[in-house]
Amino acid sequence: MHNDIEKVLITEEEIRNKCKELGKQLAEEYDGKFPLAVGVLKGAMPFMSDILRYTDCHVEMDFMDVSSYGNETRSSGEVKIVKDLNTKVEGRDLLIIEDIIDSGLTLSYLVDLFKYRKAKSIKIVTLLDKPEGRTANITADMVGFHVPNEFVVGYGLDYAEKYRNLPYIGVLKPKIYGGEE
Ligand code: PRP
Ligand code: MN
Ligand code: MG
């Protein structure tokens, strides 16, 4: 375990098993269709890669890079498009892939945007859901794990751009982000 991590919440193996389970569900859901999977960079990168390898149907992949946290532990509330999709959304079955829903601001912004662009359907799959953090009215169609109201990192999730490469989800020691011990 990395020295900055207080405890591991979800292990590498638990994540892999969940990706297999969710991938199977997605393959059933989109059987005979050609959905457009939208990975929300940067956090969703490992989850998207793992879940889609277990999704046994045709799927197109594209990426959106939006950011609302900067280097803070709390959302600024302002969503910035850093990189837009290259693909036309109109008439497509969209699957938005996220690492975590916290306040829900990122996703509610994206869902509104894709509705405006006339997506045929929009579904959300997220590895983690932190319901206590919610301020926007948004729910995912598929959730891997619920997490408590703690600052979690790893498997795509960062603090100040670090820890995304950890293979597990962990809780950061408070002293790392200037909290109490
Ligand atoms: C994080 C996370 C989600 C979003 C969730 O992304 O990856 O995309 O925040 O928070 P919300 O529900 O409160 O909007 P971030 O903006 O930190 O960008 P990143 O993925 O590049 O780390
Ligand atoms: Mn993100
Ligand atoms: Mg971040």
Side-chain angles (χ1 to χ4, degrees):
M1 189 168 82
H2 193 283
N3 197 29
D4 295 353
I5 302 297
E6 187 166 82
K7 61 172 185 263
V8 173
L9 276 187
I10 307 164
T11 66
E12 201 175 344
E13 196 191 350
E14 287 170 327
I15 294 172
R16 187 170 45 245
N17 289 336
K18 188 61 80 178
C19 286
K20 288 183 185 170
E21 185 188 317
L22 294 174
K24 254 192 183 167
Q25 284 181 38
L26 284 177
E28 282 166 24
E29 177 83 43
Y30 291 110
D31 184 36
K33 296 181 179 165
F34 183 40
L36 175 62
V38 176
V40 186
L41 296 171
K42 303 173 210 170
M45 188 269 275
F47 180 50
M48 180 169 182
S49 163
D50 285 345
I51 193 176
L52 292 183
R53 93 180 67 222
Y54 300 118
T55 304
D56 191 14
C57 70
H58 290 303
V59 54
E60 182 171 356
M61 300 187 203
D62 202 351
F63 303 91
M64 233 10 232
D65 187 357
V66 292
S67 201
S68 69
Y69 280 69
N71 283 351
E72 306 300 320
T73 51
R74 302 197 54 176
S75 173
S76 62
E78 198 185 309
V79 182
K80 237 181 30 196
I81 298 187
V82 184
K83 181 217 169 288
D84 206 335
L85 296 175
N86 296 323
T87 316
K88 239 182 110 190
V89 158
E90 191 173 344
R92 296 297 301 269
D93 293 306
L94 249 58
L95 173 68
I96 307 177
I97 303 183
E98 260 290 26
D99 51 334
I100 187 166
I101 312 181
D102 189 349
S103 72
L105 290 168
T106 303
L107 273 173
S108 71
Y109 174 84
L110 285 178
V111 167
D112 285 350
L113 179 71
F114 296 146
K115 278 185 184 159
Y116 174 78
R117 291 182 182 175
K118 303 195 176 78
K120 184 177 170 197
S121 70
I122 304 172
K123 291 211 184 261
I124 298 166
V125 60
T126 184
L127 179 69
L128 306 179
D129 188 358
K130 196 193 272 185
E132 281 174 71
R134 205 74 95 250
T135 56
N137 181 22
I138 196 106
T139 48
D141 299 278
M142 292 163 75
V143 176
F145 304 94
H146 288 95
V147 287
N149 206 4
E150 285 178 287
F151 199 76
V152 290
V153 296
Y155 195 71
L157 291 108
D158 72 305
Y159 171 59
E161 299 303 325
K162 289 183 191 144
Y163 312 108
R164 294 192 200 274
N165 55 320
L166 299 180
Y168 49 81
I169 304 283
V171 178
L172 209 52
K173 287 180 181 164
K175 68 167 186 206
I176 304 294
Y177 54 87
E180 299 286 310
E181 264 297 292

